Amino acid sequence: MLWRDLRRFTSARVGLGRVGHALPTAAHLDFQEAHAQARDAVWSALDVPALQAVLPGARVVASAAPDRRSYLLRPDLGRRLAEGTVLEARPGCFAIVVADGLCASGVQAQAAPLLAALAPGLERAGWAVAPPVIATQARVAIGDDIGQALGAAMVAVLIGERPGLSSLDSMGIYLTHAPRTGRNDAERNCISNIRPGGISPADAAAKLLWLVAAARRLGLTGVGLKDEQPAALEGEARPVIGG
């Protein structure tokens, strides 16, 4: 197989050719364009009214970061709620946070279809699901503050993932059992690469439901909860899961 043939199977930059010791001009310009788009994506913002239209009853909150520049320079501010934020307590609920993260376009596109696929399974499992919380200038750990304020048994944070040179529309989900301020990433489970070229919202919802059931049984999430979900079909590709 020639190197250029690999390009049929991946969006990675392989088999680009060369001119002397350099890339061809077209490949070089394509890289520069993709890099510029990825940088711009980091500064993108959620269309909150559009999300509210598809997530009726959603509450909108902000992190302690007053603007995007502060958010990028001070990651700690994006991990906590703005001072004075009040949320109605719903003890024992399943909380859902929809957060912009480092690429708002991913969560803007993938959140609604994933939640539509998720809702029936949560209902069958007997969960009392709190109205979604839309969080701006937010990082993953803001789910701990939100979950603690709600008195949630678990929180799932749907968040835009760091943009890459071939993916500007990816969303991740971080699941935390008994959320409270001070939890760390070793106490969460992650489903990543939810996008048209990765894991579909329906498959991600199925994976999340399995993790939720396992976390409920074990009383924990994170490194103590392993991905042991059986594949639905022999040889079926399985989503990437991290602790």
Side-chain angles (χ1 to χ4, degrees):
M1 178 183 291
L2 298 175
W3 278 106
R4 62 176 175 269
D5 293 334
L6 292 175
R7 301 184 65 187
R8 293 181 296 160
F9 306 104
T10 178
S11 58
R13 284 174 165 75
V14 298
L16 299 179
R18 66 181 185 181
V19 177
H21 296 293
L23 287 173
T25 299
H28 178 66
L29 292 176
D30 179 66
F31 175 86
Q32 289 186 313
E33 179 184 20
H35 187 257
Q37 289 175 338
R39 289 171 62 93
D40 288 346
V42 170
W43 291 85
S44 63
L46 282 178
D47 184 343
V48 173
L51 273 179
Q52 289 177 297
V54 295
L55 302 175
R59 170 75 191 276
V60 181
V61 301
S63 77
D67 51 49
R68 196 64 177 174
R69 177 178 170 80
S70 301
Y71 170 83
L72 294 172
L73 293 176
R74 290 280 307 276
D76 58 307
L77 296 180
R79 296 183 183 120
R80 62 179 191 262
L81 282 169
E83 188 175 350
T85 302
V86 177
L87 293 168
E88 180 184 352
R90 295 174 178 268
C93 72
F94 187 91
I96 295 169
V97 178
V98 179
D100 47 7
L102 286 168
C103 186
S105 58
V107 74
Q108 191 83 46
Q110 319 303 340
L114 185 139
L115 292 177
L118 182 67
L122 291 175
E123 183 178 356
R124 286 193 300 270
W127 281 103
V129 181
V133 177
I134 300 171
T136 60
Q137 311 296 7
R139 294 184 184 265
V140 171
I142 202 170
D144 299 335
D145 277 13
I146 293 171
Q148 180 172 288
L150 292 172
M154 288 191 213
V155 63
V157 178
L158 283 58
I159 191 165
E161 295 188 306
R162 185 186 304 273
L165 295 177
S166 60
S167 61
L168 304 176
D169 55 356
S170 186
M171 183 180 76
I173 306 173
Y174 290 81
L175 178 69
T176 308
H177 179 269
R180 63 176 183 272
T181 303
R183 289 287 195 194
N184 60 53
D185 289 342
E187 297 173 291
R188 317 184 201 284
N189 287 85
C190 172
I191 306 172
S192 65
N193 197 34
I194 303 166
R195 63 187 183 93
I199 304 170
S200 71
D203 287 344
K207 173 60 66 179
L208 180 58
L209 286 170
W210 186 90
L211 287 170
V212 167
R216 197 181 211 179
R217 184 175 66 254
L218 296 173
L220 56 80
T221 47
V223 295
L225 172 54
K226 305 302 182 186
D227 173 24
E228 297 175 342
Q229 181 189 23
L233 296 173
E234 184 67 27
E236 179 180 312
R238 299 173 68 180
V240 176
I241 300 295

